[in-house]
Amino acid sequence: MGTLRTGVADATARSFVSRTGPTASAPRIGRALRPVNEPASLPLNEILVGDCIASLNSLPAESVDVIFADPPYNLQLENALVRPDNSLVDAVDDDWDKFASFAEYDRFTREWLHACRRVMKKNATLWVIGSYHNIFRVGTALQDLDFWILNDIVWRKSNPMPNFRGRRFTNAHETMIWASKSPEAKNYTFHYEAMKAANEDAQMRSDWLFPLCTGEERLKDDNGQKVHPTQKPEALLARIMLSCSNPGDVILDPFFGSGTTGAVAKKLGRNFIGLEREQVYAKAARQRIDNVVPLDPEAVSAAPAKRTEVRVPFLSVIEGGYIKAGEVLVDDKERFSATVRADSTLSLSGIVGSIHKIGALAQGLPSCNGWSFWNVKRDNKLVSIDVFRSDIRAKMRDTQ
């Protein structure tokens, strides 16, 4: 959870707005500082320190690919939290998480979402994380502003903080909303195949299990205290970026906090822009990111989505000599067999059709992916016919 806010802003934020105006460039923490009056450009891999609305308004329109937002949750804590042994819980009681009313919080939410929408590219997507205190209000604002909700993702915490008073269920999850800029934004990035492969070849579900940020990953100050109370785990941000962005994309975090978004972006070969009000957090985030070693480009390159790969008909497999007319194809358990015809169709019990149609017919199903269903024997071993299609595609890429 970052700490940038407008509305009931403290003196720091008010001072920044009055000093620079609502559309001026914000002070930066980066490898080089630029003059405040420099024309608007994209401050890649920099942290802009100041009010989030002013900082967002300083960015070019339609300039970012993904936004991850971890806004104040407005936890409304009335009293200190105490464990059964009377020790004090290090809860979120900072001024940046306090709002005068729900109406004030709603006004703040609509302001930063509206500013975010302006800087999103046509097919960019936005993620917002929150708890039951705020996420439903954020969802309403998103829909009111014409964002299109794609998913809600539940982050299940494997090590949640218990409910010390024993008056409620343990709050063991947070909710993330994933949304596109508008209902018309159809070509947003989503690496379906990569997520499926990461989930043991099953579709990635909308409930994700990660522990809270602990151990060496948790930033501590010189006194051993947490630098930021709500630092998110890097694994959570990594899954988000791997699912909906590509190397070189620009990831914007308007509530940068301890810099998890920037650290993961650098590691995965993405660019980041961080917005943060508190100098202490911005400084810690910059030091953290400077120590990150990027992964090898080959390790982070996006696998091509099947829908974007060159179409290879089964006839090309026959014409290429991989399979000959008259050979027999079988499923992986050798329950069904079909004969390959010269025109690339299959024959099964007198019925002729494509590899997909005959595969579906054999199983009594309405559809079938023939490439993954059929195999041919080579040296007494079954070889998927998709291996031959992949080889053809590789040769096509080599000649481009």
Side-chain angles (χ1 to χ4, degrees):
M1 194 192 309
T3 58
L4 296 174
R5 48 176 290 198
T6 56
V8 189
D10 67 3
T12 303
R14 287 196 296 269
S15 173
F16 169 73
V17 175
S18 62
R19 183 175 69 250
T20 63
T23 58
S25 298
R28 291 168 167 78
I29 290 184
R31 292 174 181 79
L33 297 178
R34 297 188 306 194
V36 170
N37 60 355
E38 184 175 318
S41 59
L42 209 55
L44 295 180
N45 305 315
E46 293 186 24
I47 304 172
L48 281 62
V49 181
D51 175 74
C52 67
I53 306 300
S55 297
L56 282 164
N57 288 339
S58 74
L59 300 177
E62 298 189 352
S63 57
V64 304
D65 300 286
V66 177
I67 295 177
F68 174 78
D70 185 9
Y73 287 5
N74 192 25
L75 295 179
Q76 309 146 53
L77 296 179
E78 297 178 353
N79 301 300
L81 293 181
V82 180
R83 298 183 178 89
D85 62 1
N86 290 323
S87 61
L88 191 65
V89 177
D90 186 12
V92 181
D93 56 1
D94 304 79
D95 288 341
W96 48 257
D97 193 57
K98 297 176 182 177
F99 292 80
S101 64
F102 285 128
E104 183 65 30
Y105 186 81
D106 292 345
R107 197 156 42 243
F108 156 70
T109 299
R110 282 172 167 77
E111 286 180 5
W112 72 258
L113 282 174
H114 179 75
C116 281
R117 197 169 189 276
R118 184 188 71 85
V119 302
M120 292 172 66
K121 294 179 182 178
K122 179 181 178 181
N123 291 307
T125 56
L126 172 143
W127 295 74
V128 187
I129 188 169
S131 70
Y132 66 88
H133 302 87
N134 72 321
I135 197 64
F136 304 108
R137 311 189 80 88
V138 173
T140 297
L142 281 167
Q143 292 183 317
D144 287 346
L145 293 172
D146 205 32
F147 285 88
W148 187 252
I149 295 178
L150 302 170
N151 275 117
D152 65 326
I153 307 293
V154 175
W155 167 29
R156 295 169 50 221
K157 302 173 183 178
S158 59
N159 55 342
M161 181 183 295
N163 185 269
F164 295 112
R165 295 174 182 170
R167 300 292 294 169
R168 303 183 186 183
F169 296 107
T170 297
N171 186 26
H173 77 278
E174 293 183 29
T175 300
M176 293 184 290
I177 297 176
W178 182 38
S180 60
K181 188 174 182 178
S182 71
E184 291 73 36
K186 305 294 185 182
N187 295 320
Y188 55 86
T189 299
F190 178 51
H191 296 298
Y192 168 80
E193 288 85 3
M195 291 294 99
K196 184 176 180 181
N199 195 41
E200 300 294 327
D201 288 327
Q203 285 190 350
M204 182 69 75
R205 292 161 50 105
S206 61
D207 54 336
W208 298 356
L209 181 65
F210 292 107
L212 290 166
C213 184
T214 57
E216 293 184 0
E217 187 179 318
R218 170 68 79 169
L219 297 189
K220 300 288 183 65
D221 60 22
D222 293 338
N223 298 319
Q225 301 298 312
K226 293 183 291 188
V227 169
H228 196 286
T230 62
Q231 181 178 335
K232 295 299 184 288
E234 292 189 6
L236 183 70
L237 270 296
R239 184 175 294 187
I240 288 172
M241 291 185 203
L242 291 171
S243 69
C244 70
S245 72
N246 297 303
D249 279 357
V250 178
I251 317 295
L252 169 68
D253 187 335
F255 308 97
F256 205 56
S258 59
T260 302
T261 298
V264 175
K266 182 178 178 181
K267 184 179 296 183
L268 297 180
R270 276 73 169 163
N271 295 295
F272 73 87
I273 300 173
L275 314 181
E276 176 52 53
R277 193 187 72 179
E278 303 291 338
Q279 286 277 4
V280 172
Y281 295 154
K283 181 179 179 181
R286 183 75 267 171
Q287 293 174 343
R288 174 188 185 182
I289 295 167
D290 285 344
N291 290 327
V292 171
V293 178
L295 294 174
D296 186 273
E298 179 61 27
V300 300
S301 60
K306 290 184 178 179
R307 70 183 67 180
T308 64
E309 292 180 330
V310 178
R311 184 175 180 274
V312 176
F314 184 56
L315 181 60
S316 296
V317 174
I318 298 173
E319 292 172 339
Y322 295 93
I323 296 176
K324 297 180 180 179
E327 285 197 83
V328 174
L329 303 185
V330 297
D331 66 294
D332 56 2
K333 294 183 180 179
E334 299 188 62
R335 297 166 297 175
F336 311 107
S337 60
T339 302
V340 178
R341 291 161 43 91
D343 61 1
S344 80
T345 58
L346 303 185
S347 175
L348 175 64
S349 301
I351 301 176
V352 175
S354 69
I355 57 174
H356 311 296
K357 178 181 178 180
I358 298 301
L361 177 68
Q363 301 173 87
L365 298 176
S367 63
C368 169
N369 182 347
W371 290 107
S372 59
F373 181 71
W374 294 112
N375 305 271
V376 66
K377 279 195 173 181
R378 293 288 183 267
D379 298 326
N380 290 321
K381 294 182 180 180
L382 294 182
V383 177
S384 171
I385 63 173
D386 201 26
V387 170
F388 307 132
R389 180 173 66 161
S390 297
D391 190 60
I392 293 173
R393 280 179 172 154
K395 291 179 178 178
M396 293 172 68
R397 287 193 294 269
D398 290 341
T399 58
Q400 290 178 351

